[in-house]
Amino acid sequence: MRADAQQNHERLLEMAAKAFARDGTGASLKAIAEAAGVGIGTLYRRFPTRETLVEAVYRNEVTNLCAAAQTLLAELSPVDAVQAWSERFVDFMTAKRGMAAALRVVLTSPDDLMRTRFLLRDAIAMLLNAGAADGSIRAGLDPYDVLMGLGGITLIAEEQRDLALRLVDLLINGVIAGATLSDN
């Protein structure tokens, strides 16, 4: 893809993600194109249907969230990186609520859902392993357990970001080395 075409593609995904988070998947495609600085024809050439745009936004957001794990580890201690990544996960899940109905249609394949879980699990595993290596995070934690904990937090807290972040703090305190938890 040419550099300018790649920039247009990325701007469309960014503007669509903002519009979907704000207005749901019924957001105006024309407004998304305008916000990205391109014509509606460019949007339709890249994404022939609303569903293909929703799917592309979702996949791009998952990719960005997972890539953030490595970036955060380069900038923060493992515990702080887990905290920051978890907060991004909460924001990601909250933004996806407006896309949920469309995503059910787009991502009906169990393989797609499992692929997403594997990507998220691998990102969490990277963070947990870095903390286990430096002794700040308990060794042997199952990344799926942390992922399910985060997912549960987003379901319980719904649109209450402050509550979600307090619950994330509790979860993070459970992964810190030296925390005493039952073996169950």
Side-chain angles (χ1 to χ4, degrees), residues 70-85:
Q70 188 167 2
T71 302
L72 290 168
L73 277 175
E75 299 169 356
L76 303 170
S77 72
V79 170
D80 289 340
V82 170
Q83 179 82 33
W85 192 90

Side-chain angles (χ1 to χ4, degrees), residues 20-26 93-103 159:
F20 293 156
R22 184 183 59 246
D23 304 325
T25 57
M93 292 298 289
T94 301
K96 298 313 153 249
R97 278 206 176 80
M99 297 169 58
L103 285 171
E159 301 294 321

Side-chain angles (χ1 to χ4, degrees), residues 69-128:
Q70 188 167 2
T71 302
L72 290 168
L73 277 175
E75 299 169 356
L76 303 170
S77 72
V79 170
D80 289 340
V82 170
Q83 179 82 33
W85 192 90
S86 297
E87 290 174 11
R88 288 182 186 200
F89 180 86
V90 166
D91 292 339
F92 164 79
M93 292 298 289
T94 301
K96 298 313 153 249
R97 278 206 176 80
M99 297 169 58
L103 285 171
R104 272 198 236 16
V105 173
V106 172
L107 298 174
T108 55
S109 164
D111 292 339
D112 284 335
L113 295 175
M114 287 308 296
R115 185 175 90 69
T116 299
R117 279 190 183 169
F118 288 144
L119 291 171
L120 293 169
R121 182 217 46 211
D122 290 348
I124 292 169
M126 178 189 308
L127 296 165
L128 296 176

